[in-house]
Amino acid sequence: NFAFLTAKSNRWPGGALRYVCRMIVRPLFEHVRAWHIIVVSVMAGAGEELLFRGVLQPLIGLPASSLVFGAVHVGGRGFIGYGVWAACIGALFGWLMLGTGGLLAPIVAHAVYDALALAYVRYGPSDTCE
């Protein structure tokens, strides 16, 4: 994400990521404290991985659960690119679960991913989402 956000290209997925950053993430997190970011990241990482990798992936498989993961990250027409990107990241988390044989690794990876992304948007350069 860092590379796509800083590339300043409107090509996919950079443009889609900056759009989500500008429209949702920056407004929600621009005034929060570090501990808020940690709590949100841990809860999102645990909750989403328990659902998508712990429940759905064994039932419908890795490709389908990754597509569903991406679909729930789409919040309208302008967010389709972000949903596709989320599906790719979801597939990586799914492969991590398969490779380690458990949910701990994808939960930790997801939480760290979210925490780093949110911290960068909150504390990074003011033009991060532009």
Side-chain angles (χ1 to χ4, degrees), residues 73-86:
H73 285 81
V74 174
R77 194 169 137 201
F79 299 92
I80 292 172
Y82 181 69
V84 172
W85 182 247

Side-chain angles (χ1 to χ4, degrees), residues 41-52 107 110:
S41 299
V42 168
M43 293 183 73
E48 290 184 14
E49 294 310 309
L50 287 169
L51 174 62
F52 291 100
I107 288 171
H110 192 147

Side-chain angles (χ1 to χ4, degrees), residues 47-104:
E48 290 184 14
E49 294 310 309
L50 287 169
L51 174 62
F52 291 100
R53 260 48 76 189
V55 175
L56 289 181
Q57 187 168 315
L59 289 175
I60 62 176
L62 174 60
S65 64
S66 298
L67 289 174
V68 173
F69 182 77
V72 301
H73 285 81
V74 174
R77 194 169 137 201
F79 299 92
I80 292 172
Y82 181 69
V84 172
W85 182 247
C88 294
I89 298 298
L92 289 174
F93 292 148
W95 288 323
L96 187 57
M97 184 188 96
L98 292 175
T100 63
L103 287 170
L104 183 60

Side-chain angles (χ1 to χ4, degrees), residues 107-126:
I107 288 171
V108 170
H110 192 147
V112 168
Y113 173 91
D114 284 353
L116 291 173
L118 293 174
Y120 182 72
V121 169
R122 168 63 175 92
Y123 298 108
S126 60

Side-chain angles (χ1 to χ4, degrees), residues 20-45 48 82 111 113-126 128-129:
V20 170
C21 182
R22 186 175 53 253
M23 299 303 291
I24 295 179
V25 179
R26 171 76 80 180
L28 284 175
F29 289 91
E30 66 185 341
H31 300 294
V32 300
R33 297 175 190 254
W35 72 269
H36 295 133
I37 290 173
I38 293 168
V39 169
V40 167
S41 299
V42 168
M43 293 183 73
E48 290 184 14
Y82 181 69
Y113 173 91
D114 284 353
L116 291 173
L118 293 174
Y120 182 72
V121 169
R122 168 63 175 92
Y123 298 108
S126 60
T128 296
C129 302

